[in-house]
Every structure is written in C-alpha cells, then in structure tokens.
Amino acid sequence: MNTAPAITTHWVSRSAFQIVVFLFLFTEIALGAVLHSSASLWWAVPLVLLASHLMHGAAVGFHEATHGLLRKNRRFNEFDGVLLGILSFTSFSLYRAAHQTHHAYFATERDEELWPFVFTKAPRWVRILVACIELTLGLVYTPLLFLRSFLRKGSPIRSQKVRRRIWSELALMVVVWIGIIAAVSYWQVWHYFVWMYLAPAFIAGNLQSWRKYVEHVGLTGSTVNSATRHIVAEGWAGRLVATTLLHEPYHGVHHLHLGIPHAELPHHVAEILPVTADERPPFQSYRSAMLDVFRSLGDPRVGAQWHRNAKQR
C-alpha cells in the first residue's frame, strides 16, 4: 500500500511549457542530425523516447489551453491550442467542449472522457477491449473518442456556434495534414517523418492514455480524491517528470481548483491527502501508481455508480 509522502519543496516553474517546447526542438534537431549522418539508428532510439515524453508534455499543454491557462493572452492561448490540436489530430474546440463534461459530471455516466468505463451496463469484455485499444493505439483512439462525443446522437455539444467552429477546425486539420503529407512525399523525406514525428507521436499517444488511466481508471469513489490517483514524487526523477508534465501528477488539485495555473498545483498538495476511509494518499511514483492500475484492468471501471448498481442487484 502507498504511504503518504511528506510535504516537501517541489520543483515549480511557470515556464514549464516553454521549457518543454525548447527541449523538444533541441531533441528534434539532434534526432535529425543523427538521421542525416551515417551513425547507427540505435543512436536515434533514446532521442525518439525523449521526444515522445516531451510530446506528452505538450499534450498536457493542450489541456491547459482548453482551460485558458496556457498563455495569459487569450489569442495566443487559442492559437497554441488550435496548433497543438492539429498536430495531435484533435479539434481544440471539440476537446474543450467534451472536457467540460469531465469536470461538470466527473466519473458519472455523463463524463464523455471516461466512456465506457462509467457505464454500468457496458459489458466487461467491451470495457477490456476498449482499454486494450486505448492503451496501445492512443494516437488513433483519443481523437475518435472525442469525435464520438461530437457526432453521436444526443451529443452534449449543442451550441451551433461551437459546432461550426469544430467543423472549421476539423477542415483546417485536413488541409494542413494534406499539405504536410504532400510535402513529405514531394521531397521524399519519409524516413525523417517516421522517426521525427510518427514514432514519437505514437508513443506519446500511448503515454497520454496510460496517464489518463493512472489518474482515474479503476477508482470507484464518490469524491474527487477517492476517484483520482495523485502522484507526489519524492525523488529528483519524479519531480523532473512532474515539471515536464506541467505538474499534472497533482491531478486532484486540478479538479478541485480549475482556475489556477499548473505551477500553483503543488502548493495545494495538502488538499489531496486522505481525510476519509475511501481516499488514498498520493503515490510516490508513477511506477507504484501504474501497478495499482494493472490490478484494475481485468475489470476497468470508474465512478461510484458501480457500487450503487451492485446494491440494487
């Protein structure tokens, strides 16, 4: 069982996103240099893994932008959000609209992000199959999950203004990617495209899915703290990961305080310490949190409705 970590000084930076972006650019330059040289491709592998982690950090920045917290200037915030969405095959406005349900109806059947794990009528085999797909094909599954929310009958996204903007962003995404693929094909740089974008993006998409599962899947509490895993790292490696993920491991704090920037999340760590019997203390590493997730994958569920359903039976 995880034990409550001491509340220590955490690495905090309001420039975490900018640091992630610059580190990513330097990594891509180094990766391009390796690919251009006659060096063994084995030298490219660690750079691809590093680029994947930094892409994952940029995906957290995409999430911050949906809350209007990535940039102080609203126009810059919107620009960064749309750009990051295009590069990750997800409409910024669509993600923002669907993500609102995750906060407004957290861990209930109206939580679009946690479908189908919040549905007590969803067969176990369906939930297991979805988990297997999401955790191995996150780059494909995540955009489709949000498109489902947008296109399905009874979509919670009803504003015609928002829907028109989503369609325009989807159209822009298609145009941009047609241009990218055409350019890659014209100059025959598929080798660079695969190693510098596709491979790290594929891994980053899976990292994003695993982080989502660490945060919520397998938890059936009725409160934010009892339905969220938090990671408060003690070692330098864990603190570095937390910084490059824009302090997202303090995920419960984000749910409790939607309007505060990522750099302020560690200052509220006391609020995610357990106060009731069904709440657990923060994990001291992603490793220990992942082990807890593995135990739940045989029957992936989220939300207190699973307990109510069991009582009715």
Side-chain angles (χ1 to χ4, degrees):
M1 178 177 289
N2 54 312
T3 57
I7 301 178
T8 57
T9 302
H10 304 284
W11 295 357
V12 175
S13 175
R14 293 184 180 276
S15 301
F17 179 72
Q18 288 81 359
I19 292 171
V20 166
V21 170
F22 280 114
L23 287 175
F24 175 72
L25 291 176
F26 291 144
T27 303
E28 287 287 275
I29 292 171
L31 183 54
V34 169
L35 296 173
H36 184 70
S37 69
S38 57
S40 170
L41 286 179
W42 283 109
W43 289 102
V45 172
L47 292 173
V48 168
L49 295 177
L50 178 57
S52 300
H53 172 69
L54 296 172
M55 277 188 175
H56 182 198
V60 180
F62 178 62
H63 163 264
E64 284 288 297
T66 64
H67 288 284
L69 300 173
L70 185 62
R71 302 283 289 273
K72 291 183 179 181
N73 184 291
R74 180 179 178 182
R75 291 185 178 180
F76 288 159
N77 186 87
E78 296 288 300
F79 176 83
D80 285 356
V82 172
L83 177 60
L84 290 168
I86 289 174
L87 296 176
S88 56
F89 307 107
T90 304
S91 160
F92 174 61
S93 297
L94 170 54
Y95 180 86
R96 176 163 52 193
H99 186 64
Q100 289 174 354
T101 70
H102 178 56
H103 287 284
Y105 309 108
F106 175 58
T108 69
E109 293 188 351
R110 298 178 69 180
D111 186 336
E112 296 288 317
E113 283 192 33
L114 294 175
W115 177 90
F117 310 115
V118 291
F119 284 93
T120 57
K121 294 182 180 179
R124 179 181 176 184
W125 71 267
V126 170
R127 289 180 279 113
I128 292 175
L129 177 61
V130 169
C132 290
I133 295 173
E134 185 170 11
L135 293 173
T136 56
L137 295 170
L139 183 63
V140 177
Y141 177 87
T142 299
L144 292 178
L145 174 67
F146 289 101
L147 279 176
R148 170 194 172 274
S149 178
F150 178 54
L151 298 175
R152 72 175 178 83
K153 182 179 180 180
S155 170
I157 307 170
R158 298 171 184 172
S159 167
Q160 291 304 310
K161 180 180 179 180
V162 173
R163 293 185 71 87
R164 284 194 297 270
R165 174 162 175 171
I166 291 172
W167 280 119
S168 65
E169 289 178 5
L170 291 174
L172 176 62
M173 188 185 311
V174 171
V175 170
V176 169
W177 275 103
I178 288 176
I180 291 174
I181 297 302
V184 170
S185 180
Y186 180 80
W187 279 291
Q188 287 298 300
V189 287
W190 291 104
H191 183 63
Y192 290 91
F193 177 76
V194 169
W195 280 90
M196 296 180 68
Y197 173 77
L198 192 58
F202 180 83
I203 297 172
N206 291 338
L207 292 175
Q208 167 81 7
S209 295
W210 279 103
R211 181 177 54 76
K212 168 185 169 181
Y213 278 54
V214 165
E215 289 167 356
H216 300 300
V217 174
L219 301 179
T220 54
S222 58
T223 64
V224 166
N225 283 342
S226 60
T228 306
R229 293 184 186 87
H230 329 280
I231 295 91
V232 179
E234 292 290 293
W236 69 267
R239 296 183 185 186
L240 179 61
V241 168
T243 301
T244 53
L245 291 182
L246 313 192
H247 315 100
E248 186 70 5
Y250 301 87
H251 193 62
V253 179
H254 169 64
H255 274 276
L256 293 170
H257 300 283
L258 289 180
I260 66 174
H262 62 82
E264 295 182 23
L265 298 179
H267 297 308
H268 297 268
V269 66
E271 296 183 45
I272 56 176
L273 297 180
V275 294
T276 63
D278 62 342
E279 296 179 356
R280 290 183 290 179
F283 291 82
Q284 296 182 19
S285 68
Y286 262 107
R287 186 187 310 108
S288 57
M290 288 277 286
L291 291 175
D292 194 58
V293 173
F294 282 130
R295 299 187 189 99
S296 71
L297 292 182
D299 188 15
R301 303 177 295 170
V302 181
Q305 61 271 20
W306 288 94
H307 296 300
R308 292 193 294 270
N309 187 65
K311 290 179 180 179
Q312 291 174 357
R313 293 179 181 177

